[in-house]
Amino acid sequence: MSLTGSTRRFSPLVPQENAGQFFSSGHTNNWAVLVCTSRFWFNYRHVANTLSVYRSVKRLGIPDSHIVLMLADDMACNHRNPKPATVFSHKNMELNVYGDDVEVDYRGYEVTVENFLRVLTGRLPPSTPRSKRLLSDDRSNILIYLTGHGGNGFLKFQDSEEISNVELADAFEQMWQKRRYNELLFIIDTCQGASMYERFYSPNLMALASSQVGEDSLSHQPDLAIGVHLMDRYTFYLLEFLEDIHPSSKANMNDLFKVCPKSQCVSTPGHRTDLFLRDPGSALITDFFGSVRKVEITMETINLTEPIHSFR
Amino acid sequence: SLCKSVIYGIITYRRRGQLAALSIAAVVIIVGVPLWWRTTETYRAWLPVSQINELSNLQLQLSAEVEVVFARGTVTPEQQKKVPLTQIQDEEHTVDEDTALRYRYETKYRTATIMEEDALNQPTAAEADLSLHTLSESPCGSLVVYVIPESSSLLPEDMDVYVGQRRTALLRIGAQMRVGKTLDQLLAHLEPRIKQVLQVMSFSHTDISAALSDRVRLSPGNKESIADSMRTFKSSPGYEITFSLLNPDPKSHRLHWDIEGAVQTYIQPLLTKLASVANFSIDSQTLYYAMLGVNPRFDSSLSAYTLHSDSLAHVINPVEARLGSNAASSNPVLNFLLYVPDAHHSPLYIHDRKKQEVPSNAFHSPRWGGIMVYNVNGFYGPEAVFPVDVNINMAKVMGVFLAQLRLLLGVQSSTAPSGFLVAPCGSNGLADWELDRLMWSRSVENVATATTTITSLAQLLEQIGNIVINDNIAEQVSSAVTSLQLAVAELETGNLRFALQYSKEAILASERAFFDPSLLHLLYFPDDQKFAIYIPLFLPMCVPILLSLLKIVSDARQKRREKQAKKD
């Protein structure tokens, strides 16, 4: 049995058009690590923050298999929630950020500093399932979002422990050494959030924070029916900004830096781009928040006319 | 005498006090401080740091053996006298300050045997290739180039080189090399062509430098190589392949695909041949009511629906959410999707940027997988009763998936130089020399990745002082270092199979060491917090000792002053 294959003659004219679209960002896949670090009912707004970023990221295309969602407490099914199975972002109750298909990977007491660092550095016990791992490679763009209560140089987890900015910077350095990311966008919405990115020293990191050192990040508005503040200001305006982004949008990072100016946020959002190798104006929002796949047309096929048998 | 004993008691009491203070101070300093140091230090097992530092400077030598066989009519009798002949050529490349490459080509020249001459007399190049293969099998990593005379009919007019399915190439000698030239001139004439053959069939500098990308972040050499490196999956000990059949319209189409048989017949031979490179696990699934997520446009000139290449990028994400994967392993997943359009949107064709139809009707995404659109509207007429039973032609489907699989695994070679005629891949979907190429680049990639992992682990452990290094980590690191040294040595001698095996062991050991769960750094405590913990423990104990020591010193000084005064 012979294979009626077409002998491949290589001519110098190869479709170069596919190669061109690869070079704008250098990444082939996207990951997101979204963490809410506070528990207790009155910290409803932190869960709402995280869920609204989760919702935007899913809407723009990142699948659940590429999102690690860590929520330290359950607000939707909390006994004190007058509207069970919902988490709202605005007192108009128009947007239920909890949605129909939330996939929480680390819940409740599993959200600890240790687990967070383990997820980032990849040092998880072998029995950890795929959904709880950050399986990024050197061509992954990662979005990391943290929210909760913080201070100058630390972020509080679960009301009992803290992560310091030194540990966070070391964790990112370990990720860089093992080539676990191509570019990383770090967003933090806590009081004195800018202190958390002060100590970064690895390349290709861009960071945004909701407030400077010495300033508090404020919450948006309370809802009298639910009884707590629903969202933080910075993330509220961030969500508003992201709702206008769609998968083929060309908005870039400079637009993201303008989100929530002091007039709306009361605190001064900050950002850090000195470690980022590209110009922030050339980095699209969808490079981090969405998942635009590169595709190539399959030009060659193998002609299998008959079942293949071994030649001997 | 009562007075004397009282005075004596007072003196000895003071001395006892001094002795007590001195001995407590001695115990604290000699026993206490070392004990505290030992119990609070982090356990760090010994790592072979010097060997690791040696590895950070990587000097790789790749050796390839080439046999150049002259057929009858290519060498004159005078030239023939000097043959058989062996030449060794070295090519040095410095990639960066820590990485250097040397390519060693050992070329043996000889004349063809009678049986080889018979084999070369076959009518077509493919048959010649087959008969040559039955005569002798070249070991892994080596090549044989048969130089055939210009008059030979094995190659078409404009082609000089035929690359076979195994490890053989046929090279047609040029017209001017007929008479009056020495052997050296003949070899010099052949050398550029043989070098090109080596670049295609063995390893080329672009491939090897791309394989070193873990160590060296290269500035873009050329767009093709960057696209290749972004497309192919990184070296991993295992991969998972998932075949999915997407049926958005089960009411109209009842699809039957013999996926198990197709995998066994078409895909498994390739994977068996690649067993030395990686393990593969295959599964398949059928998804119903899975839509594409993009609206195709109706093209009235073709009376068909079309998908433009720009919208293809948005097809994958909505589907991926429903695909699922094996939760147990962390291996990279290759997804191959077969999409059968629903009856209302059939037939569906993919158009490229130039609005031309794509013959394969398929596209792939780098480091993810491939999607093929299979139109079934041709299988039934307008009066058909729905649902219609459709048997999918697995040969056609697997032809596309196999090509995409080859691309994604990095088997597909880049463009060969002009004048090269490359045979289609063999019965396994993989030519022997393609396997060799893959093994070369995988070995180099594994060695590069393992060296960076080990050196960065050593660096990190040095930098971050409060990480505990257990004995098993030290063991893994030592075994990784040993495997790396063996892999580099085997690459030098040209034993490709062993080099790949050792490089895989090195990668496994180094990854296990780097990602060991115990290597989480202990919580960071700023210095002021450390003082805040130790001061309440040690200060109350140290104050009386310090004061009594001071008192001893001042007493001693006073005594000396009294003695001085007495002397005067």
Side-chain angles (χ1 to χ4, degrees):
Chain A
M1 307 285 126
S2 69
L3 226 54
T4 54
S6 48
T7 22
R8 291 170 283 164
R9 286 172 178 238
F10 286 112
S11 58
L13 301 161
V14 170
Q16 290 242 349
E17 24 190 77
N18 288 332
Q21 56 178 310
F22 280 41
F23 302 112
S24 50
S25 60
H27 75 280
T28 58
N29 55 71
N30 286 80
W31 285 81
V33 179
L34 310 173
V35 184
C36 160
T37 59
S38 337
R39 56 172 37 239
F40 305 131
W41 172 246
F42 51 83
N43 289 323
Y44 181 103
R45 59 190 185 281
H46 296 142
V47 172
N49 288 350
T50 318
L51 284 172
S52 50
V53 178
Y54 172 75
R55 176 207 146 72
S56 310
V57 146
K58 263 182 84 160
R59 189 178 54 80
L60 290 171
I62 304 186
D64 272 313
S65 52
H66 284 230
I67 303 178
V68 178
L69 179 62
M70 303 170 81
L71 296 180
D73 203 355
D74 187 3
M75 300 304 167
C77 301
N78 196 303
H79 306 300
R80 296 165 77 168
N81 191 350
K83 302 197 192 310
T86 60
V87 173
F88 288 110
S89 64
H90 190 269
K91 64 182 183 196
N92 288 347
M93 313 280 187
E94 344 171 291
L95 192 55
N96 172 18
V97 290
Y98 199 62
D100 291 332
D101 57 348
V102 182
E103 191 183 291
V104 182
D105 300 304
Y106 286 84
R107 65 192 69 218
Y109 286 109
E110 289 172 353
V111 180
T112 59
V113 174
E114 185 187 333
N115 280 348
F116 176 58
L117 290 175
R118 284 192 189 282
V119 165
L120 287 183
T121 53
R123 298 209 169 98
L124 289 158
S127 56
T128 316
R130 226 187 156 101
S131 56
K132 283 187 161 178
R133 288 181 188 260
L134 177 64
L135 295 169
S136 54
D137 54 29
D138 62 323
R139 297 254 173 226
S140 306
N141 275 8
I142 308 184
L143 166 72
I144 299 190
Y145 177 83
L146 294 175
T147 183
H149 288 288
N152 189 356
F154 66 90
L155 171 62
K156 187 175 74 159
F157 266 70
Q158 299 272 12
D159 218 36
S160 59
E161 50 180 8
E162 309 161 350
I163 186 172
S164 65
N165 48 3
V166 173
E167 287 172 325
L168 198 57
D170 283 340
F172 287 156
E173 174 65 11
Q174 296 195 46
M175 288 175 80
W176 173 251
Q177 290 284 340
K178 201 60 189 74
R179 301 282 181 267
R180 275 166 72 75
Y181 67 88
N182 175 41
E183 289 170 346
L184 201 144
L185 177 63
F186 175 77
I187 303 184
I188 184 161
D189 188 352
T190 63
C191 303
Q192 308 197 52
S195 64
M196 289 305 282
Y197 59 66
E198 270 172 3
R199 302 286 201 113
F200 289 172
Y201 54 93
S202 318
N204 264 344
L205 295 177
M206 193 190 306
L208 281 102
S210 58
S211 56
Q212 300 291 335
V213 174
E215 285 180 347
D216 288 337
S217 280
L218 301 177
S219 57
H220 189 57
Q221 7 153 283
D223 176 276
L224 297 176
I226 296 184
V228 286
H229 287 257
L230 291 182
M231 262 185 95
D232 280 330
R233 282 176 191 249
Y234 182 75
T235 312
F236 181 82
Y237 290 109
L238 179 69
L239 176 63
E240 215 177 64
F241 172 76
L242 287 174
E243 288 287 300
D244 287 333
I245 307 282
H246 53 90
S248 39
S249 156
K250 296 287 171 202
N252 59 44
M253 284 297 153
N254 286 332
D255 303 322
L256 192 60
F257 297 153
K258 296 193 198 117
V259 163
C260 206
K262 192 164 171 137
S263 52
Q264 285 175 325
C265 251
V266 183
S267 58
T268 321
H271 55 90
R272 180 176 177 182
T273 53
D274 58 317
L275 293 166
F276 199 69
L277 295 176
R278 281 194 294 157
D279 171 40
S282 65
L284 300 176
I285 301 282
T286 49
D287 281 348
F288 291 101
F289 284 90
S291 173
V292 183
R293 297 273 184 185
K294 317 268 195 283
V295 294
E296 283 182 310
I297 307 281
T298 307
M299 285 306 190
E300 283 189 25
T301 63
I302 297 181
N303 205 332
L304 305 167
T305 50
E306 299 165 37
I308 305 169
H309 298 293
S310 171
F311 269 76
R312 260 170 277 160
Chain B
S1 76
L2 185 66
C3 235
K4 251 194 199 165
S5 59
V6 166
I7 298 170
Y8 187 63
I10 294 171
I11 294 172
T12 49
Y13 178 75
R14 204 187 326 143
R15 170 121 3 114
R16 244 186 280 146
Q18 290 175 350
L19 281 172
L22 280 170
S23 50
I24 290 176
V27 165
V28 164
I29 293 174
I30 295 173
V31 178
V33 169
L35 194 67
W36 165 72
W37 191 260
R38 284 306 303 260
T39 48
T40 53
E41 75 172 357
T42 46
Y43 177 72
R44 296 170 80 96
W46 177 84
L47 288 178
V49 183
S50 55
Q51 286 177 318
I52 295 175
N53 288 336
E54 265 173 39
L55 280 173
S56 69
N57 193 333
L58 190 63
Q59 313 268 357
L60 266 185
Q61 176 179 311
L62 289 112
S63 309
E65 280 177 24
V66 185
E67 235 182 296
V68 179
V69 182
F70 292 104
R72 199 182 313 130
T74 51
V75 277
T76 62
E78 305 94 59
Q79 291 167 344
Q80 212 163 339
K81 282 188 207 141
K82 298 228 187 94
V83 169
L85 170 68
T86 308
Q87 272 184 352
I88 297 185
Q89 265 179 319
D90 280 343
E91 207 179 287
E92 308 248 353
H93 291 272
T94 313
V95 183
D96 71 354
E97 65 237 4
D98 293 319
T99 323
L101 290 168
R102 186 193 301 158
Y103 305 131
R104 169 161 293 185
Y105 303 107
E106 195 180 310
T107 324
K108 294 196 186 109
Y109 298 93
R110 66 173 174 86
T111 48
T113 62
I114 309 228
M115 292 191 287
E116 285 172 339
E117 293 287 349
D118 283 336
L120 286 169
N121 276 333
Q122 301 280 333
T124 63
E127 287 171 32
D129 188 29
L130 178 57
S131 351
L132 285 168
H133 175 69
T134 50
L135 288 176
S136 68
E137 198 171 318
S138 322
C140 191
S142 67
L143 281 182
V144 187
V145 180
Y146 289 93
V147 183
I148 54 179
E150 197 216 344
S151 52
S152 166
S153 58
L154 288 175
L155 292 170
E157 284 290 314
D158 48 343
M159 297 286 158
D160 294 332
V161 184
Y162 173 80
V163 175
Q165 284 178 355
R166 289 157 198 95
R167 297 185 172 102
T168 330
L170 301 177
L171 170 63
R172 201 221 301 272
I173 202 168
Q176 54 271 42
M177 281 289 123
R178 212 157 303 170
V179 275
K181 307 280 182 176
T182 66
L183 183 65
D184 289 329
Q185 286 173 321
L186 175 63
L187 296 184
H189 167 75
L190 287 175
E191 192 186 306
R193 264 311 189 196
I194 293 184
K195 212 173 206 78
Q196 279 181 330
V197 171
L198 276 167
Q199 301 261 332
V200 169
M201 290 179 77
S202 199
F203 47 80
S204 69
H205 185 57
T206 33
D207 291 338
I208 301 294
S209 10
L212 288 172
S213 66
D214 213 60
R215 273 182 81 88
V216 183
R217 269 290 177 152
L218 295 169
S219 48
N222 75 338
K223 283 187 172 184
E224 285 299 310
S225 60
I226 302 276
D228 280 342
S229 75
M230 278 175 77
R231 181 192 311 123
T232 52
F233 276 85
K234 289 200 74 77
S235 168
S236 161
Y239 296 95
E240 288 189 24
I241 303 182
T242 307
F243 292 100
S244 309
L245 174 63
L246 271 64
N247 186 358
D249 197 7
K251 288 200 279 272
S252 315
H253 304 134
R254 205 182 290 150
L255 299 172
H256 303 278
W257 71 338
D258 178 22
I259 184 65
E260 283 183 51
V263 163
Q264 204 54 40
T265 324
Y266 301 114
I267 306 285
Q268 195 56 48
L270 171 65
L271 300 181
T272 317
K273 200 158 175 184
L274 285 173
S276 54
V277 176
N279 296 327
F280 292 90
S281 81
I282 309 184
D283 38 46
S284 66
Q285 61 180 340
T286 312
L287 285 173
Y288 294 104
Y289 295 106
M291 301 296 302
L292 265 189
V294 205
N295 286 327
R297 237 175 287 137
F298 184 71
D299 190 338
S300 41
S301 60
L302 299 166
S303 62
Y305 289 86
T306 60
L307 265 181
H308 192 249
S309 62
D310 285 336
S311 53
L312 291 176
H314 305 288
V315 167
I316 297 181
N317 286 326
V319 177
E320 190 176 3
R322 304 196 46 198
L323 282 179
S325 60
N326 186 356
S329 86
S330 317
N331 286 332
V333 180
L334 288 87
N335 288 300
F336 293 103
L337 274 57
L338 183 63
Y339 180 76
V340 175
D342 49 318
H344 296 291
H345 288 106
S346 284
L348 179 63
Y349 296 112
I350 297 178
H351 281 189
D352 62 11
R353 279 174 199 283
K354 300 194 199 113
K355 308 263 177 28
Q356 301 285 324
E357 203 172 291
V358 173
S360 61
N361 220 17
F363 62 99
H364 55 271
S365 178
R367 295 201 185 172
W368 185 80
I371 301 185
M372 177 181 178
V373 177
Y374 188 82
N375 292 309
V376 296
N377 59 307
F379 286 102
Y380 52 88
E383 308 92 33
V385 175
F386 288 126
V388 182
D389 281 293
V390 178
N391 275 320
I392 295 184
N393 179 2
M394 292 312 289
K396 183 167 164 218
V397 168
M398 282 302 167
V400 173
F401 283 161
L402 203 56
Q404 290 176 336
L405 180 62
R406 282 163 51 93
L407 272 172
L408 291 168
L409 287 176
V411 166
Q412 193 83 347
S413 48
S414 41
T415 48
S418 63
F420 270 62
L421 182 64
V422 181
C425 48
S427 56
N428 304 322
L430 186 70
D432 285 0
W433 55 271
E434 287 178 323
L435 177 62
D436 284 355
R437 271 183 84 90
L438 193 60
M439 286 170 82
W440 286 116
S441 58
R442 282 297 161 102
S443 308
V444 172
E445 192 183 337
N446 288 346
V447 166
T449 313
T451 48
T452 32
T453 307
I454 289 289
T455 42
S456 58
L457 178 63
Q459 224 176 351
L460 279 167
L461 293 176
E462 226 178 273
Q463 244 180 333
I464 304 177
N466 53 0
I467 291 187
V468 175
I469 307 177
N470 286 326
D471 287 327
N472 67 325
I473 309 281
E475 248 179 67
Q476 294 286 343
V477 171
S478 304
S479 104
V481 169
T482 321
S483 303
L484 270 171
Q485 289 168 337
L486 283 168
V488 172
E490 295 288 353
L491 272 177
E492 257 183 53
T493 51
N495 292 334
L496 191 51
R497 215 176 278 283
F498 285 115
L500 182 64
Q501 194 186 325
Y502 285 128
S503 71
K504 274 166 70 177
E505 284 173 22
I507 268 229
L508 277 172
S510 62
E511 299 274 310
R512 219 175 284 148
F514 194 95
F515 287 118
D516 191 275
S518 73
L519 279 182
L520 201 64
H521 50 273
L522 304 172
L523 289 178
Y524 166 78
F525 293 114
D527 289 330
D528 50 350
Q529 287 191 25
K530 283 193 191 138
F531 281 129
I533 291 175
Y534 283 133
I535 285 178
L537 290 174
F538 290 138
L539 202 61
M541 175 188 67
C542 286
V543 167
I545 299 177
L546 222 65
L547 288 177
S548 24
L549 282 175
L550 282 172
K551 196 155 185 294
I552 292 173
V553 167
S554 67
D555 281 348
R557 234 186 257 154
Q558 192 158 11
K559 246 195 224 162
R560 218 183 296 137
R561 244 180 273 136
E562 281 173 6
K563 264 199 196 150
Q564 290 247 318
K566 265 195 201 158
K567 275 192 190 156
D568 300 336

